[in-house]
Amino acid sequence: MRTAKKLMLTPVLALTAFGLAAGPAAAATAGSSDSEQGWTYQADLNEVNDSGASGDIMITLKGDQAMITEHVEGLAEDFQDGPYPHVQHIHVKANGSAECPTASADEDGDGIVNTPEGGAAYGEVSTTLTDSGDTSADAAVDVEHAGIKGGSATYERTIDLDADTKEAIKDGRATVVVHGLDPAKQSQEVQDAKSPLVDSLPQAATAPALCGTLADSQMGQPPKGGPDTGGGSTAGTDDTVMLAAGGGVLVAAGAAFAISRKRKSSAETR
């Protein structure tokens, strides 16, 4: 009887000991992966105002930083004897899902959707994607540091984002807009008009040419609060810990049971 009780007790002790040892370690491993990986969002950039351009953008959020990679082609190439400075931004819509404007947004009937008309769909400038320096909304029309210059380009930069912009990206309320149309391809009315944002530029220079709403590119949604805080649901982590611990427990229990049976067999033969 004592031998039978010993056989039953040994695996139970092994299970308990292994569970206590493996649980915290597994939790630490599972908890660190999301923080190191970050969360990636992307958008196809589609033409606005018949610009003939196309592109794509990917933004990976890690803490307060955004690592940005963007490719564009088919934009207006030249402006005043130099590469066309295409200012670009992350626009944020305060309420509802962000969208890209269609031709129906042209309220004044001049043939293009200008910046204020497009804003009804994609919201206000939150971050300016410049090639260097300021990335705030204050740099929205800084053509000297425009993130895209010329008709085709690759843009890569890591910048800091404020909390409102990060939340908008996670909630589907953020849109990337690249501005700048070829004035020569517009009607005379548009060519003669000044930009509603800064009258030193033609209207075409600040009109949207490409647009795309950022969406999560990974399976499932990131936990509320983002990878920098580690907040939100922990269901995935708990499941991972339980599975890892469970697999190890079975191995430990099997080994303990085999040792006990070997001892019993030796005792019986003596």
Side-chain angles (χ1 to χ4, degrees):
M1 181 61 73
R2 290 181 180 177
T3 302
K5 287 183 178 180
K6 187 176 180 180
L7 285 171
M8 295 175 64
L9 182 59
T10 303
V12 172
L13 291 174
L15 288 171
T16 304
F18 187 85
L20 290 173
T29 300
S32 64
S33 60
D34 286 346
S35 177
E36 294 171 358
Q37 174 183 326
W39 289 92
T40 300
Y41 300 81
Q42 62 184 17
D44 290 329
L45 301 177
N46 299 309
E47 66 173 6
V48 182
N49 288 318
D50 295 323
S51 67
S54 61
D56 57 78
I57 188 167
M58 180 173 291
I59 299 178
T60 298
L61 301 180
K62 293 181 69 175
D64 292 331
Q65 290 191 319
M67 292 171 284
I68 305 168
T69 301
E70 176 188 25
H71 305 280
V72 297
E73 58 184 19
L75 291 164
E77 295 185 5
D78 304 310
F79 183 80
Q80 295 180 352
D81 300 324
Y84 200 119
H86 294 277
V87 294
Q88 55 178 357
H89 318 97
I90 299 175
H91 288 254
V92 168
K93 193 171 184 181
N95 299 302
S97 299
E99 301 175 346
C100 292
T102 63
S104 62
D106 177 20
E107 296 180 355
D108 60 14
D110 63 354
I112 68 166
V113 176
N114 61 34
T115 307
E117 291 169 340
Y122 49 65
E124 301 292 329
V125 173
S126 176
T127 300
T128 304
L129 302 181
T130 54
D131 61 3
S132 63
D134 188 8
T135 59
S136 72
D138 294 338
V141 291
D142 183 358
V143 294
E144 181 179 352
H145 293 98
I148 298 294
K149 292 183 173 69
S152 300
T154 295
Y155 174 85
E156 294 180 333
R157 191 179 179 190
T158 297
I159 63 174
D160 290 333
L161 289 183
D162 59 44
D164 290 341
T165 304
K166 290 190 296 182
E167 283 302 310
I169 291 174
K170 296 169 188 175
D171 294 343
R173 296 182 291 105
T175 301
V176 175
V177 182
V178 182
H179 300 261
L181 302 174
D182 185 351
K185 296 182 179 180
Q186 312 307 316
S187 66
Q188 192 62 50
E189 180 182 358
V190 172
Q191 291 185 44
D192 294 340
K194 299 295 184 182
S195 167
L197 301 183
V198 51
D199 59 12
S200 62
L201 294 173
Q203 177 171 244
T206 58
L210 283 172
C211 177
T213 300
L214 291 166
D216 179 19
S217 67
Q218 296 172 319
M219 295 296 290
Q221 291 295 323
K224 196 67 176 177
D228 49 314
T229 63
S233 172
T234 59
T237 300
D238 292 342
D239 290 345
T240 302
V241 172
M242 289 176 68
L243 288 172
V249 163
L250 289 175
V251 172
F257 186 74
I259 292 170
S260 297
R261 286 186 59 86
K262 183 176 182 179
R263 288 176 178 173
K264 179 185 177 185
S265 177
S266 298
E268 289 175 347
T269 57
R270 286 202 293 262

